[in-house]
Amino acid sequence: KEIRKRLKPMNSLSSLEAAEKIVYLTIQDFNEKWAERKLRGFAEAQEALQRMFEERYN
């Protein structure tokens, strides 16, 4: 859906490589957004895991 939304304003792309570049950059943007996202409820588990890690390796 997002890729279609990005390609639609560009009715005629100069080449297949141009379309591939837009798709690639769109996917890169999604990867960056999802990399920063934390799952619901993970904050508590992350704190507990951090404490366990510190106890074990310090």
Side-chain angles (χ1 to χ4, degrees):
K1 182 178 177 181
E2 184 68 25
I3 293 171
R4 246 185 297 141
K5 185 174 108 179
R6 302 233 182 182
L7 289 174
K8 191 173 182 179
M10 303 167 200
N11 290 333
S12 60
L13 295 169
S14 58
S15 66
L16 180 60
E17 288 81 21
E20 289 174 348
K21 184 176 180 181
I22 291 170
V23 170
Y24 173 79
L25 292 173
T26 303
I27 292 171
Q28 288 296 101
D29 187 38
F30 272 114
N31 284 341
E32 289 174 8
K33 288 179 184 176
W34 281 87
E36 296 172 3
R37 186 173 179 210
K38 288 188 178 181
L39 298 175
R40 192 176 304 147
F42 185 70
E44 297 85 20
Q46 184 180 19
E47 292 171 6
L49 289 170
Q50 186 67 31
R51 280 194 307 270
M52 284 194 266
F53 181 84
E54 289 173 359
E55 289 172 5
R56 183 171 188 161
Y57 294 107
N58 286 336

